[in-house]
Every structure is written in structure tokens, then in C-alpha cells.
Amino acid sequence: MKVVVVGGSMAGLACAHALFSAGCKQVIVLEKARTLKSAGAGLALDSQTCQALAEWQLHQQLMDSTLPLTIDQNQATESKSKATRVLARDENFNCRAAHWSDLHKLLYDKLPRDTVHWGHEVVSFRQSGDGLGVTVEVKMAQTDQTIEIDGDLLVAADGSMSLIRKHFVPHQHRRYLGYCAWRGVFDYSKNDSPEMVASIKKVYPDLGKCLYFDLAKGSHSVFYELHGKRINWLWYVNQPEPHMQMNSLTAKVDKIAIEKMHEEASETWVPELSALIKATPEPFINVLYDREPLKQFVWGHVVLVGDAAHPTSPHGVRSTNMSIMDASVLGQSIAKWGFDKISTALAEYESIRLPVTSQQVLYSRHLGLLKQGFLFDPPHSFPWFEADADLCEQLLQRNMPFFKSHS
């Protein structure tokens, strides 16, 4: 069996590992980027995802490049007084904090060198008449020529704006969530800001093992430490949908916008968090979308995985976790049924992953609406200092459907 994976991001590389582990001998990953790049920001890996990576012989490298997250804490900040209140805290949170590019490189480095074909952009595909084969049309960046690649199975790992998903579900559009995220990673490895780092660790004493969520009226921030003396932060801001170029998820940021953001940070957050945000070079904006859950992931010998199958909001720290678990379950199903029963394997993958990811997408959406204040009347103005225990409990990650289930 020859498997063609479209997309060389996290989901695509994870699928390559899972397919090799399942006994596939011919796996090629087609990625339109020309080289491996250092990009992205922080992410949290849950215990099931870490177990899947360990099964692909990546456990030690994962431990060496991540930090433990043993605490999930949600707190509120009253912007005028800068007073804070802990809303909910889970001290049995079992995750790892990783940098996107570190994990991506880890996955890439452990694949056979001829697996990923850089500079190969898929422009179209077609299925054979009997549905048992696929042909992919690929434009090669180096020569600007177009070639065709045949395969027995096509795995669509081409992201939230998936060309392959659009082929099967042409009329479903991405859904703007009503807010954007300022993002940045502050690197203090050179120790050029010891006083500022000491100050923020004094205010947030569990930094280094805690996933902090800080809620203000109609806004919230997230921050945690990464391996290599880096602090990852996000700040969600309600606003009309920006005008986006093509399929981009990153909005253009100029000096004036950054200065305005810095002013609003001083007004909203405690001085220590505001100082961290201001000291971070080149912050950027992610415009946030998800999509309605699909009713299927498989069409013949074409299967969707990762954000191509279920684009999600970031509040349940699900995107990378779902991508890697998709790959894991796909590989396990193929190993179980064998290549001569690939249709049965794909059906099993779909039956396991579709209900899990659908519920997780919807719950992540709910968490975003809750934390950004959209669920209250009037919107964006809920006084979190007055929240009762039942409402605060909803904020914790442990309430995510299937959070502790392997599938």
C-alpha cells in the first residue's frame, strides 16, 4: 500500500509516524513549504498524546524538550484595582508544555529522510472509478512543473483551509469566533530581564508547572513557561472580524496597533503581566475560526485528519492533541485490520474519532464564549469576582469531553 499524506505540519508528520508503525512501507508527505521552519508558539500536550508519541519511540526526546504542567488554574483580575481571585484550580493536571516548532522538528527528525517532499503543493486530486485509488496533482516549487502521484490511500492533513475537505464539503465556510488573539513568546534565556522575570514569578509562583488562565471582563489571557527559559502568552480580545488576505489566519500588525495593545494591557492586567507583554518582541495576532463538526471523515480511500477534519478554537488546548490522536487511532485501525481491509480500518477510525472530536470542538467553542463574556447579559461584562463555584468549575480543562479517554 502506498499512502500519500497531504500536509507536512503536525498532523501530517504524526500520521507518517503512525502509518510506519502500522507496517506501511510507502508513505510520502507532500508539503508546500520549501523547508522546515521555526514558527508557532506554545501548546499543551495531554497524557494521551504523550503516550502516542512514546509509542512512536519519541518519549525521551519529548521529556527533554518540554516542561510538566501539573496545575490548571483559572483566576480573575479586576482591572481597576488589579486585585486577583482564584476561581478554579486543578492540581492533578497531567500535561506537558511544548513549543510548536520544537515538537514539529522532533517529529520530522525521527522520520526516514525521504518521507517529506518539501516544495510540493497539491493543487488537485481525483479518485479512481472504483474508489480504491487516488491521483494527486502536485506543483513543484523548485521547477514550477506539475506532476502526478498515484497512491492507494490519501490522508488529508492540509489544515483548517483544506483543499481536500473543500472538495467534499464545498459550501461550509469557516466561522469567525468573535475575537482575536494577541500572541508572543518571551525568551529570557539570555537573562537580560532578571528583575522582570523575578517579578512575574513572584506574582505567579507556579509558573513553570502551571497553565494560567487570567480572566477580566470580556477578555482573558493564557500564559505558561516553555523549555529553554521561554514564556508563552496569549491575550484574547473581542473585536469585529478583520479583513483577511486569502486563507491567512494571521493579521497584519503595525507599530501603532502594538502601541495601542500595550496601553490596553496596562489598563487590563497586573503590572507584571503587562510588562511581560510589552517586553515581547514581534507579537502577532491570530484571527480565530472554527467550523461546524462534520458528519464524516472518510470518502472512499480519502480520509481527513487534524484541522482538515475538525478546526477548533484554542480554549480546550485541543488542536495539536486531536491531530496526534487522529494519527494514532488511524494507525492502530490499519494495524488491526490490515491493508486488505483498509475500508474497514477507515470506517473504524471514523467511528472512534468523529464523536470525540465533534464534542471537543463544541466544548472548546463554549469555553471561548464563556471566558470572553458572550454568554452573559449584557455581553462582555460579567464580573468574574462574583462567579459561583459551579460556574467556575466549568473553566477547568478536566471538563472537556473525553479528556481522560484514550480515544
Side-chain angles (χ1 to χ4, degrees):
M1 168 159 284
K2 181 179 181 181
V3 184
V4 180
V5 180
V6 180
S9 190
M10 208 73 78
L13 299 190
C15 282
H17 279 278
L19 290 163
F20 282 127
S21 295
C24 295
K25 302 299 183 184
Q26 296 186 77
V27 180
I28 64 168
V29 178
L30 305 175
E31 168 54 45
K32 65 180 179 181
R34 297 192 181 203
T35 58
L36 187 71
K37 296 180 180 179
S38 177
L43 53 93
L45 302 174
D46 64 30
S47 57
Q48 293 78 35
T49 297
C50 291
Q51 178 60 36
L53 293 167
E55 291 170 358
W56 301 333
Q57 311 305 312
L58 300 172
H59 173 77
Q60 192 56 54
Q61 294 91 334
L62 182 67
M63 294 300 104
D64 291 342
S65 61
T66 61
L67 292 180
L69 288 173
T70 59
I71 301 169
D72 169 19
Q73 178 167 308
N74 284 259
Q75 62 187 55
T77 293
E78 204 290 311
S79 296
K80 289 185 178 180
S81 67
K82 308 304 183 190
T84 61
R85 171 200 171 192
V86 175
L87 302 173
R89 181 177 170 97
D90 177 7
E91 295 188 356
N92 295 304
F93 191 58
N94 184 16
C95 288
R96 306 286 302 185
H99 192 284
W100 190 96
S101 61
D102 291 347
L103 181 59
H104 188 245
K105 187 175 187 302
L106 188 160
L107 287 167
Y108 173 72
D109 286 345
K110 291 299 179 178
L111 288 172
R113 274 289 163 261
D114 58 349
T115 303
V116 181
H117 296 242
W118 300 102
H120 283 57
E121 180 180 3
V122 173
V123 294
S124 68
F125 76 98
R126 63 181 182 273
Q127 295 172 281
S128 60
D130 57 9
L132 303 180
V134 291
T135 299
V136 181
E137 184 181 359
V138 181
K139 183 178 180 180
M140 296 186 295
Q142 192 170 15
T143 63
D144 211 29
Q145 292 180 323
T146 300
I147 62 171
E148 289 189 344
I149 299 174
D150 295 322
D152 302 296
L153 173 64
L154 179 63
V155 178
D158 51 340
S160 63
M161 299 303 291
S162 168
L163 171 77
I164 297 168
R165 176 191 176 114
K166 186 176 181 180
H167 173 85
F168 294 110
V169 194
H171 303 300
Q172 190 197 61
H173 302 290
R174 62 185 181 182
R175 178 183 173 279
Y176 179 57
L177 297 178
Y179 49 93
C180 297
W182 281 97
R183 305 192 66 170
V185 176
F186 179 73
D187 185 344
Y188 69 95
S189 61
K190 297 178 181 178
N191 203 30
D192 54 357
S193 305
E195 293 181 0
M196 188 191 74
V197 174
S199 295
I200 199 165
K201 289 192 173 185
K202 184 176 181 180
V203 175
Y204 302 99
D206 292 316
L207 196 64
K209 61 180 180 180
C210 182
L211 177 61
Y212 277 104
F213 294 87
D214 207 339
L215 283 71
K217 284 188 177 181
S219 179
H220 77 286
S221 62
V222 185
F223 54 101
Y224 49 95
E225 190 162 4
L226 303 172
H227 176 76
K229 296 186 176 181
R230 295 169 291 180
I231 299 175
N232 179 76
W233 61 266
L234 301 90
W235 177 17
Y236 299 98
V237 180
N238 297 333
Q239 66 175 73
E241 182 179 4
H243 176 71
M244 304 303 294
Q245 296 292 328
M246 307 273 307
N247 293 334
S248 175
L249 299 176
T250 304
K252 221 174 190 182
V253 182
D254 57 26
K255 184 178 180 181
I256 295 174
I258 293 175
E259 289 175 351
K260 183 179 179 182
M261 183 268 288
H262 287 170
E263 292 176 5
E264 293 174 354
S266 296
E267 295 172 359
T268 305
W269 305 117
V270 297
E272 293 80 6
L273 179 55
S274 174
L276 174 72
I277 291 172
K278 293 176 183 178
T280 303
E282 299 180 359
F284 61 98
I285 290 181
N286 269 160
V287 185
L288 300 176
Y289 300 89
D290 66 7
R291 292 181 189 259
E292 295 301 331
L294 293 175
K295 295 181 179 180
Q296 67 185 98
F297 291 161
V298 176
W299 289 264
H301 281 195
V302 179
V303 56
L304 305 183
V305 300
D307 285 347
H310 38 69
T312 185
S313 64
H315 309 292
V317 293
R318 289 290 87 205
S319 179
T320 298
N321 287 292
M322 287 196 290
S323 295
I324 292 174
M325 289 311 300
D326 285 352
S328 177
V329 173
L330 179 63
Q332 290 171 16
S333 295
I334 292 175
K336 173 182 175 180
W337 292 101
F339 306 126
D340 56 339
K341 292 186 178 180
I342 188 66
S343 296
T344 303
L346 296 179
E348 180 179 90
Y349 158 79
E350 183 181 71
S351 70
I352 294 173
R353 292 302 293 160
L354 196 148
V356 173
T357 58
S358 296
Q359 290 187 50
Q360 291 185 339
V361 165
L362 295 177
Y363 196 80
S364 290
R365 182 187 297 175
H366 167 76
L367 278 177
L369 294 173
L370 177 64
K371 293 183 178 184
Q372 289 298 106
F374 285 98
L375 299 182
F376 306 109
D377 187 21
H380 326 312
S381 62
F382 185 75
W384 278 103
F385 268 69
E386 301 172 14
D388 61 29
D390 289 340
L391 181 59
C392 292
E393 169 64 26
Q394 292 185 38
L395 300 172
L396 294 174
Q397 294 295 313
R398 67 189 180 196
N399 297 302
M400 174 65 63
F402 302 98
F403 185 72
K404 293 187 177 180
S405 168
H406 181 72
S407 62

